[in-house]
Amino acid sequence: MTTNADEQPTRPRRRAPAGAAVLREDVTEAIRAAVFEELAAVGYARMSIEGIARRAGVGKTAVYRRWRSKLHLVLDIVSALAVQGLPVPDTGSLEQDLRLLYEVTSRALRHPVASQVIPDLLAEAARNPDIDQAMQKALREGQESVALRILKAAAARGELRPGYAEDVALDLVSGPLYWRSVVIRGEKLPKGYLTALARATAEGIKAL
């Protein structure tokens, strides 16, 4: 016997409670991908469950089975970014750790979807406390946690001064590349830019 997407399959020995549904993971992932595409295409304000369902190739019911509104859908996806995490470099050098972090982050920020979705969500966060909280959580538990681990490793190796200004150091690690890639959103980064940025940032942090 075959079943349709998200419908409860028949089981010979155990029946699911009335009204229960089996949510297929491939359908869920298709919806999540469609959310990013829809955000990039029309922005949060104009995004709709109908548009998401159409892009995902599913019915609206499949979306509503998982999320009760577009706000909850976006909050769920933004929050998921926090747990994905970035790889933590471990080269034995603050400058080289920063260089690798910038390479990964730069590729992510230059992605066509990310470059459109992130500014839109940040603008929406200024108007919506729920989105603002989710974005702050994603930023703190994502990039900032990686940056903090890089700084702590450098401090343990003796590369940083005792009692250095950690908050300032975190801003130095994350701020310049974000400003260049997301705020200015200029052309492709010049050759050698990330290497120069890592060197300058490492020297600045060591001077704190």
Side-chain angles (χ1 to χ4, degrees):
M1 177 178 179
T2 58
T3 59
N4 293 328
D6 295 334
E7 289 184 354
Q8 175 185 325
T10 301
R11 296 180 181 178
R13 295 184 180 181
R14 184 178 180 182
R15 183 179 297 276
V22 175
L23 303 181
R24 285 175 43 184
E25 186 61 28
D26 60 332
V27 174
T28 302
E29 290 306 312
I31 294 171
R32 287 194 174 112
V35 171
F36 283 108
E37 294 173 3
E38 190 75 356
L39 279 170
V42 303
Y44 176 82
R46 294 176 57 196
M47 187 180 76
S48 67
I49 296 297
E50 291 83 355
I52 293 168
R54 185 167 53 251
R55 285 182 183 274
V58 301
K60 289 191 297 181
T61 303
V63 181
Y64 282 118
R65 281 191 182 122
R66 294 161 171 80
W67 301 277
R68 62 179 182 268
S69 70
K70 75 171 186 178
L71 173 60
H72 289 91
L73 200 166
V74 170
L75 290 178
D76 175 63
I77 290 178
V78 170
S79 298
L81 296 177
V83 300
Q84 289 180 0
L86 292 169
V88 181
D90 185 19
T91 66
S93 160
L94 174 60
E95 181 178 329
Q96 291 306 312
D97 283 352
L98 291 174
R99 176 64 179 79
L100 291 178
L101 175 63
Y102 289 156
E103 180 64 35
V104 174
T105 304
S106 177
R107 286 201 303 266
L109 292 176
R110 289 201 310 268
H111 189 281
V113 173
S115 65
Q116 296 175 8
V117 168
I118 293 175
D120 183 65
L121 285 180
L122 288 174
E124 193 63 35
R127 299 183 289 268
N128 189 312
D130 291 327
I131 293 181
D132 180 56
Q133 184 177 11
M135 289 293 292
Q136 291 300 321
K137 178 180 175 64
L139 291 171
R140 284 195 303 270
E141 296 185 9
Q143 170 117 0
E144 187 172 292
S145 68
V146 175
L148 184 58
R149 291 168 68 179
I150 289 175
L151 292 175
K152 287 187 178 300
R157 291 191 299 265
E159 290 189 76
L160 305 183
R161 296 179 180 179
Y164 73 98
E166 186 177 275
D167 288 345
V168 177
L170 286 172
D171 288 343
L172 286 175
V173 171
S174 303
L177 182 58
Y178 177 84
W179 174 266
R180 180 69 179 256
S181 302
V182 177
V183 180
I184 296 180
R185 302 178 68 183
E187 298 179 354
K188 185 177 179 180
L189 295 176
K191 184 178 180 180
Y193 176 83
L194 296 180
T195 298
L197 178 61
R199 182 181 303 114
T201 302
E203 291 176 356
I205 293 172
K206 290 176 182 179
L208 293 176

